Amino acid sequence: MNLFAYGTLMFPEIWHRVTGLTQHGLPATLGHHAACRIRGQPYPALVEEDGAVTAGILYTDVPRGAMARLDDFEGTFYDRVPVEVTLTDGTRQPAWVYRAAAGTAPDILPERWEAASFGRKELGRFLHEDPGFTEPGRG
């Protein structure tokens, strides 16, 4: 299975911690969607939005076990839905993405989530606090 990551899962440290995988993804974009900030949270919500384009990473051939861990990590706030993403060479690929289950939830803000800002300000704390997930093999 292919997975398009647009938020915290773009960071190799988080990807490995959640999935146990060390693979690198391919730069890709998803049209008609926006990664928005969530009030009080360091991670984003993906919502449908005409004309918007969200940059992210396409992970290919993600094993079922890793997808199950991702489903647990994302929880009920997100639905895993099929989309089509565009690679930098213009090739289009089918993928799954985690989109906010309630795209108009009041805690989803109109401001865009920024990966660079998360990396500078939140990544270390996010990893340290281990928010509801553990490394594969950790008890």
Side-chain angles (χ1 to χ4, degrees):
M1 291 188 220
N2 295 338
L3 179 81
F4 178 73
Y6 57 88
T8 60
L9 291 170
M10 292 191 300
F11 290 82
E13 306 93 319
I14 296 172
W15 176 253
H16 174 70
R17 182 179 268 185
V18 174
T19 66
L21 303 173
T22 57
Q23 74 191 91
H24 296 281
L26 304 169
T29 57
L30 175 61
H32 305 292
H33 286 80
C36 295
R37 291 186 52 238
I38 302 172
R39 186 181 334 276
Q41 300 299 335
Y43 51 85
L46 187 71
V47 297
E48 291 183 277
E49 183 179 305
D50 287 339
V53 176
T54 295
I57 294 177
L58 178 67
Y59 293 106
T60 59
D61 301 319
V62 179
R64 288 192 186 279
M67 289 301 295
R69 286 184 60 82
L70 288 160
D71 288 344
D72 289 342
F73 173 71
E74 296 295 354
T76 59
F77 185 80
Y78 300 92
D79 288 333
R80 180 165 38 111
V81 298
V83 294
E84 190 172 76
V85 300
T86 304
L87 300 175
T88 55
D89 67 0
T91 304
R92 298 181 64 78
Q93 291 284 324
W96 292 98
V97 71
Y98 291 95
R99 185 168 61 203
T104 58
D107 287 339
I108 299 175
L109 304 172
E111 293 91 30
R112 298 295 190 256
W113 183 86
E114 297 178 5
S117 178
F118 173 83
R120 282 191 315 274
K121 299 176 183 176
E122 303 284 347
L123 178 60
R125 187 173 75 212
F126 191 83
L127 288 166
H128 177 72
E129 290 177 358
D130 201 4
F133 66 97
T134 57
E135 293 182 53
R138 229 171 60 175

